[in-house]
């Protein structure tokens, strides 16, 4: 099975500031050999962070608000989706274009399917 990696632009909004700093590069990664049920979301910054997100949770969150543990996902209007990451240090809110996440999830689903012989 092959790894799916996609670079995306996202807006990161935190509870610390109302300032919109523009879009930042985010890396979406799916490795079916590492964990076939999850994807990784790598956020930039002074202290880069990588989150492991249940693939099914992400898919459901594109359609309706959902969450599990420290992660919440919901559609925001017709063209955006939000992923909220909770930690003891605070909350990171990341806003994506829905089509970017949907395209990545389609590619991840295809990579997860067994190849017919």
């Amino acid at each position: 099975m092959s790894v799916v990696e996609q670079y995306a632009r996202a807006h990161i909004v935190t509870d610390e500031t109302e300032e919109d700093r523009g879009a930042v590069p985010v890396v979406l990664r799916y490795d079916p050999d590492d964990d076939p049920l999850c994807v990784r979301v790598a956020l930039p910054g002074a202290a880069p962070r990588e989150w492991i997100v249940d693939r099914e949770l992400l898919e459901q969150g594109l359609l309706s608000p959902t969450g599990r543990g420290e992660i919440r996902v919901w559609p925001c209007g017709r063209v955006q989706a939000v992923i909220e990451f909770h930690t003891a240090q605070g909350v990171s809110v990341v806003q994506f274009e829905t089509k970017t996440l949907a395209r990545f999830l389609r590619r991840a689903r295809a990579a997860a399917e067994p190849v017919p012989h």
Side-chain angles (χ1 to χ4, degrees), residues 36-58:
L37 301 178
C38 295
V39 299
R40 295 178 181 274
V41 179
L43 304 177
R49 299 163 303 242
E50 184 175 81
W51 291 86
I52 298 172
V53 181
D54 182 279
R55 200 167 43 119
E56 183 179 302
L57 178 74
L58 195 52

Side-chain angles (χ1 to χ4, degrees), residues 65-105:
T66 188
R68 195 173 308 133
E70 59 195 22
I71 299 172
R72 308 278 183 274
V73 185
W74 69 89
C76 182
R78 296 191 314 182
V79 297
Q80 295 180 329
V82 172
I83 305 175
E84 196 176 89
F85 302 101
H86 294 258
T87 68
Q89 292 76 34
V91 178
S92 293
V93 180
V94 184
Q95 191 173 39
F96 289 90
E97 285 189 12
T98 301
K99 66 181 179 183
T100 299
L101 290 177
R103 181 176 39 243
F104 170 73
L105 290 167

Side-chain angles (χ1 to χ4, degrees), residues 6-44:
Q6 180 171 322
Y7 295 87
R9 304 285 295 164
H11 289 269
I12 298 178
V13 182
T14 66
D15 53 1
E16 300 165 3
T17 179
E18 295 294 321
E19 177 184 338
D20 182 359
R21 290 172 270 184
V24 297
V26 175
V27 179
L28 304 169
R29 182 175 168 76
Y30 174 69
D31 184 346
D33 293 330
D34 180 42
D35 189 341
L37 301 178
C38 295
V39 299
R40 295 178 181 274
V41 179
L43 304 177

